[in-house]
Amino acid sequence: MPSESPIVDPLAVAPAAFALQDFQRMMEALTMCIILHDADTKSILWANPSACDVLGFTLEELLPLKAPDMSRRSHEYRREIGRQWLHGAVLHGTNVVEWCYRAKNGEEILSEATATLVKLAQQDVIMVQFRDIAREEQIKREMKRLESRLKEFMQDSDEGVAVLRADGGIEYISDAGRKLLGVRPGQPTPGSFTALCEPESREELRELLTLALPDAISFPIRYQIVLKNGQRRWHHASCRYIEIENDLKGHLLHFRDISDQVEAEDARRHNQAALEYLARHNAMGEMATAIAHELSQPLAAIRNFLEGAMLRLNSVDLSTAAARDNILWGLGSAARQVDHAATIIKSVREYVVKLEQTETLIDINETLNDVRYFIELKAADSATRIEVHHSDDKLMVSCEKVLIGQVILNLAFNAIEEMSGFTATSRRVTIRCERVANTALITVTDQGGGIEAGQHERIFDGFFTSKVSGNGIGLALCKNIIARHRGDIWAQPAASGGTSFCFALPLVKNDS
């Protein structure tokens, strides 16, 4: 029988030993910088091309070099330090150190160097792998410097930064944010941001926190919080959802205190309301003077008719039809004068009775008609002629009818007062209503002496006046009212030599 070949276990075969030359050939193919040292003497045995290129030495030049020849001339890079580092790899298998090599041209290369003990067939060697970390160290220094700057800048910043969870809990908050929440140094951070908010603000913020806003969309929000000392503060914030991998996830809130701004807005609204209330009643004194003469006539006639009726009652025979008719005629005439007086009073009451702030869509021509009666009453005292020119088209504007009527009255009354100092034949005030581009333009023109050059810009400022006894509040109110209605008001010389006071309001689109 033929003899059987023995079965060989591959695992039992001794692995082929790698010689130093074999190891070197493998290292030559690497782009990483590698230097081989003798494990006993620590002398350089070999370096791969990458290491030679970085250090600028040929292999022949590199072999006899010692630590002082190729390291920074500094205490921490002495030869004995280098030998200790290499010997640490012999003892422990590997050792990592930061080492600053010096190239042939003198350039210093800060490196992370890893020494690893490698056991070869003929001898043990220490393989040193090193890479340039100067750029990394520079970036680290810049990052540290940037971080320090940011901390300094944020220290006195008036804007807080917080990351909130969907339940309103605080995931992160900056130092400035803690200050805005009234948290003093050393005090714990509140567990919930929304719990600090007033109920109305709390619900609005909670609703926003339930949204995972896509594409980094930022939403503005204003809320009121209650500090630990009970003080209420207003914040304005922008909120957007963030999701930083392995770091933070939630809603990023940039917030700042706007309490002073809110208080200023409230004060401004209060002053605005006071001015508008004054505007609604400012003409009453003017109207009272204007209608005094108009009312005196029907009141005097009523008295005469009643006195005449009383005399007839005492002196005539009431049994005759003629006597009764005479008395009834006098009483009827008195009643008609009472109706006339009532009409005058009613027209004033209807104009000023509506005090609430409501904007409505009106034709500015109608507003001019509403105030025309009072303008003509005022003009009658000084025998001033009033000419009113309406627009052929409707000029629809959104406004508070009473306030815009007040502006027309103020401008017209001023023009009438201006004309009182001129001869009767030249006393004329023209009021024109027309469309100019996309605005309704009202122009009140007098035939007076005009305004001094340089005063046109100041004439609508508070308390400016050219009248000896005036306080200028009328024109300041006009400017305030027109500005609130998104319009413009100005004064300009008239072609006739007087002054034109003009204001324009934006027309409502698609008006008919």
Side-chain angles (χ1 to χ4, degrees), residues 35 54-55 57 66-79 81-82 85 97-103 106-114 128 130-134 137 141:
I35 300 176
V54 168
L55 297 174
F57 295 102
K66 306 298 182 185
D69 303 319
M70 49 187 296
S71 300
R72 174 188 286 177
R73 293 188 177 91
S74 181
H75 182 75
E76 64 268 32
Y77 302 115
R78 302 190 314 275
R79 183 182 181 188
I81 299 295
W85 158 53
V97 72
E98 182 182 287
W99 197 263
C100 188
Y101 287 99
R102 188 176 74 252
E107 179 184 354
E108 293 182 344
I109 306 164
L110 185 63
S111 305
E112 179 187 73
T114 302
V128 174
F130 68 92
R131 62 187 183 89
D132 189 344
I133 61 170
E137 291 299 315
R141 288 193 296 271

Side-chain angles (χ1 to χ4, degrees), residues 170-397:
I170 298 175
E171 193 73 22
Y172 165 82
I173 188 166
S174 66
D175 290 341
R178 287 169 54 86
K179 286 194 295 186
L180 289 173
L181 297 183
V183 181
R184 295 180 179 177
Q187 291 182 331
T189 301
S192 174
F193 194 97
T194 52
L196 300 174
C197 299
E198 289 281 24
E200 291 184 4
S201 300
R202 185 183 308 149
E203 293 306 314
E204 185 179 359
L205 184 55
R206 278 178 175 170
E207 182 180 353
L208 186 57
L209 293 179
T210 60
L211 304 175
L213 307 174
D215 300 327
I217 294 176
S218 179
F219 275 84
I221 185 173
R222 190 164 79 165
Y223 55 86
Q224 190 177 28
I225 66 167
V226 182
L227 305 183
K228 285 189 174 181
N229 60 7
Q231 186 180 14
R232 284 168 168 77
R233 306 295 293 177
W234 281 99
H235 288 176
H236 179 273
S238 63
C239 180
R240 66 183 179 90
Y241 184 77
I242 62 169
E243 195 167 339
I244 303 173
E245 186 177 358
N246 299 323
D247 193 0
L248 286 175
K249 178 181 179 181
H251 284 76
L252 179 64
L253 203 69
H254 289 267
F255 58 99
R256 57 188 176 86
D257 193 305
I258 58 167
S259 301
D260 293 342
Q261 178 183 335
V262 172
E263 290 176 5
E265 289 175 357
D266 289 342
R268 189 160 50 247
R269 279 193 295 268
H270 178 76
N271 293 336
Q272 179 77 23
L275 281 173
E276 290 179 359
Y277 185 85
L278 177 60
R280 288 176 171 86
H281 295 81
N282 186 46
M284 288 302 296
E286 301 279 2
M287 289 180 183
T289 302
I291 66 176
H293 176 70
E294 189 75 6
L295 283 176
S296 66
Q297 293 179 352
L299 290 175
I302 291 168
R303 181 182 180 86
N304 289 336
F305 285 129
L306 291 178
E307 287 179 349
M310 292 174 64
L311 288 173
R312 284 178 174 76
L313 285 173
N314 294 326
S315 61
V316 300
D317 183 4
L318 296 180
S319 62
T320 64
R324 290 195 300 273
D325 289 345
N326 246 343
I327 293 172
L328 289 174
W329 177 86
L331 293 175
S333 297
R336 286 191 294 274
Q337 292 299 321
V338 169
D339 290 340
H340 179 49
T343 300
I344 296 172
I345 294 171
K346 181 182 178 183
S347 63
V348 175
R349 185 186 62 193
E350 288 180 346
Y351 180 71
V352 299
V353 71
K354 193 173 185 181
L355 299 181
E356 68 272 13
Q357 300 179 17
T358 54
E359 278 200 22
T360 55
L361 191 63
I362 64 166
D363 180 2
I364 198 73
N365 290 292
E366 295 178 1
T367 304
L368 180 55
N369 279 333
D370 290 341
V371 299
R372 181 173 182 173
Y373 175 78
F374 304 109
I375 295 172
E376 289 176 343
L377 282 182
K378 175 77 172 178
D381 287 342
S382 59
T384 301
R385 288 178 293 132
I386 301 296
E387 294 182 3
V388 178
H389 302 278
H390 295 89
S391 170
D392 294 334
D393 302 323
K394 287 186 177 181
L395 302 178
M396 306 304 293
V397 297

Side-chain angles (χ1 to χ4, degrees), residues 418 449-459 464-466 491-493 497-499 501:
E418 172 69 16
I451 301 174
E452 294 181 9
Q455 301 295 348
H456 291 87
E457 296 296 328
R458 296 182 53 237
I459 197 167
F464 171 84
T465 180
S466 58
Q492 62 189 32
T499 304
F501 287 85

